[in-house]
């Protein structure tokens, strides 16, 4: 069931509105459907609620987690040079031995590029006006 818009007052009729004078403009409540206006007012109150939830719950929780986690992380970062970088030469990591052959994606990229150039050239030639008849 659709709502009907609020009836304009005499001060908000179209003949009395002066764009240069904001005091003659109709109010938001007069220009919106009642259900839509109610939703806007509800959104304003919900936004305020979530703002205060973030201030009083999320920010302290983030601070507490940081207080608990960061000292261990800083201690770990301080002696990261002591960790040995273990490299395992897995057989599948060195498959590309022939460097003279281009990557597969490179030929695919050029193929797509030339296809697009030819396609748009054909399209533009089709859309261009015909040459004048001699």
């Amino acid at each position: 069931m659709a709502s009907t818009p609020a009836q304009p007052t005499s001060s908000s009729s179209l003949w009395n509105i002066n764009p240069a004078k904001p005091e003659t403009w109709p109010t938001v409540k007069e220009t919106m459907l009642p259900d839509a206006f109610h939703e806007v007012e509800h959104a304003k109150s919900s936004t305020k609620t979530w703002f205060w939830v973030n201030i009083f719950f999320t920010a302290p929780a983030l601070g507490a987690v940081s207080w608990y986690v960061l000292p261990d992380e800083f201690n770990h970062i301080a002696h990261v040079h002591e960790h040995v970088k273990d490299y395992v030469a897995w057989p599948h990591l060195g498959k590309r031995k022939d460097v003279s052959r281009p990557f597969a994606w490179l030929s695919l990229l050029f193929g797509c590029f030339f296809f697009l150039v030819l396609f748009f050239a054909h399209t533009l030639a089709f859309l261009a006006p015909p040459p004048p008849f001699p």
Side-chain angles (χ1 to χ4, degrees), residues 8-19 24 26 31:
T9 61
S10 61
S11 64
S12 67
S13 69
L14 291 176
W15 301 110
N16 295 332
I17 294 175
N18 184 354
T24 64
T31 59

Side-chain angles (χ1 to χ4, degrees), residues 53-102:
V53 166
N54 283 326
I55 293 295
F56 289 115
F57 178 74
T58 307
L62 184 61
V65 169
S66 299
W67 184 271
Y68 179 76
V69 170
L70 287 180
D72 289 339
E73 185 63 25
F74 288 143
N75 288 336
H76 180 68
I77 291 171
H79 72 272
V80 73
H81 62 278
E82 297 173 6
H83 294 283
V84 179
K85 295 189 187 308
D86 295 330
Y87 174 74
V88 179
W90 297 102
H92 66 277
L93 291 179
K95 284 290 186 185
R96 190 169 181 271
K97 303 283 188 213
D98 183 13
V99 293
S100 63
R101 187 180 68 208

Side-chain angles (χ1 to χ4, degrees), residues 31-45:
T31 59
M32 293 181 74
L33 294 173
D35 291 344
F37 183 73
H38 173 71
E39 291 297 324
V40 168
E41 294 299 317
H42 176 71
K44 285 181 185 177
S45 65

